Amino acid sequence: MNTNPKTSLDLTGKVVVITGGSRGIGAETARSMAAAGGHVIINYRRSEAEANALVGEIGGNAVAIQADVADPAALETMIDDIVARFGAIDVLVNNAAVFEYNPFDGDDYAAWQQGWRRTFDLNVFAAANAAWLAMRAMRKATSRSSAGKIINVASRAAFRGETEFADYGASKAALVNLTRSIARACAKDNIIASCVAPGFIETEMAKPELEKNREEILRQIPLGRVGSTADVANVILFLASPMADYLNGVTIDINGGSWFQ
Ligand code: NAP
């Protein structure tokens, strides 16, 4: 147990909201945040059994809340409910996202548009809306001793350009920029923002690409392995902790050296 406050990842008493916390990177982030003493709100859309199992695993420091965060009304209801039940939001992790193939050389114009719309509705608009709603609640919590934090989960795709999922790459680039805008606009309200840009991580989302191209993907990674959910959750925990209180607007690559911004 680290008892030195200068090197502490302690989140005791902090209310941490994680969108898409039922599986993958979001679930591991919930485990890390709770282990550091945070009270974690695990949002999910469909995976009720996984979300409840995670709450059971973590214990008293976690609750699960169902909401499709791409639905602006459901998102507002969820944020209001969290503030009513827990009094505040200290950290929001915008993690929920969709990843689908949508190639430039497809034949179906309607499908192309639907892909971009689904991707932006969740990956961009839900994140911007959640940030706006969380910040509204953070501003009202006048007794806050530490900064409110918005942490966005982007991707290496934000920087690289993508050949088969341009909508996904563009949505993640938008998150990098949203992070910088919040950083510049909201520090005056004691609210700061940061972002992570993972490369390939072993989750359900990455499974189709890893099944199709694992050897080629491994060749691109100097560390020679695909990332784990803990590789990402550890950095998000650091960003949420007092150790990172002077980071504002940054995006941290977590990709084993496979791409540099
Ligand atoms: P994942 O395993 O597919 O998990 C996605 C999570 O998002 C699930 O908990 C899912 O819950 C939730 N979710 C999906 N739609 C939702 C909605 N409309 N409302 C609320 N929750 C919703 O994905 P992951 O790999 O952990 O990805 C997490 C984040 O990391 C994403 O932002 C992703 O873009 C990013 N990322 C991942 C990788 C990678 O290689 N895995 C690489 C770079 C970036 P339900 O099942 O309940 O719907």
Side-chain angles (χ1 to χ4, degrees):
M1 173 81 175
N2 176 11
T3 53
N4 181 348
K6 287 188 174 167
T7 58
S8 168
L9 296 176
D10 187 16
L11 294 182
T12 302
K14 303 288 183 210
V15 176
V16 180
V17 179
I18 303 165
T19 69
S22 53
R23 296 186 282 112
I25 291 167
E28 192 60 23
T29 300
R31 289 186 187 94
S32 301
M33 300 285 206
H39 196 100
V40 295
I41 320 295
I42 297 162
N43 158 254
Y44 67 97
R45 182 186 47 166
R46 290 189 184 141
S47 300
E48 185 177 12
E50 285 90 339
N52 287 337
L54 184 58
V55 169
E57 177 193 327
I58 291 174
N61 262 2
V63 294
I65 300 189
Q66 195 283 332
D68 177 351
V69 295
D71 173 344
L75 177 61
E76 185 175 28
T77 301
M78 180 182 82
I79 297 288
D80 288 350
D81 183 31
I82 292 167
V83 174
R85 283 165 70 182
F86 304 100
I89 295 173
D90 296 291
V91 179
L92 167 70
V93 182
N94 273 320
N95 170 77
V98 59
F99 165 84
E100 294 168 338
Y101 294 106
N102 196 4
F104 287 105
D105 54 3
D107 276 334
D108 187 340
Y109 181 41
W112 166 260
Q113 293 174 69
Q114 282 157 13
W116 275 82
R117 190 152 295 124
R118 260 196 312 276
T119 301
F120 269 63
D121 275 347
L122 180 55
N123 298 13
V124 183
F125 301 145
N129 291 344
W132 192 92
L133 291 164
M135 290 192 289
R136 183 171 71 176
M138 287 170 178
R139 279 189 209 98
K140 286 182 186 158
T142 45
S143 60
R144 271 188 303 122
S145 57
S146 58
K149 294 191 176 182
I150 312 289
I151 303 173
N152 295 316
V153 181
S155 167
R156 184 183 79 164
F159 304 103
R160 203 172 72 135
E162 292 300 339
T163 55
E164 292 178 290
F165 32 87
D167 44 7
Y168 179 81
S171 75
K172 295 302 188 177
L175 284 188
V176 171
N177 194 270
L178 172 67
T179 305
R180 293 175 185 177
S181 295
I182 295 170
R184 295 188 61 216
C186 304
K188 65 175 178 6
D189 298 324
N190 200 21
I191 296 168
I192 63 178
S194 58
C195 186
V196 294
F200 278 105
I201 307 297
E202 299 275 8
T203 69
E204 286 295 311
M205 182 181 282
K207 213 174 183 175
E209 267 296 290
L210 289 171
E211 277 176 359
K212 215 165 67 159
N213 298 316
R214 184 176 286 268
E215 291 314 311
E216 172 53 28
I217 286 166
L218 284 174
R219 266 195 295 278
Q220 293 171 7
I221 305 172
L223 281 181
R225 67 173 175 86
V226 170
S228 69
T229 54
D231 287 326
V232 182
N234 290 342
V235 179
I236 296 176
L237 170 60
F238 166 71
L239 290 169
S241 80
M243 297 278 290
D245 280 355
Y246 202 59
L247 295 188
N248 192 20
V250 297
T251 296
I252 300 181
D253 291 328
I254 312 171
N255 62 33
S258 66
W259 190 264
F260 305 108
Q261 336 167 14

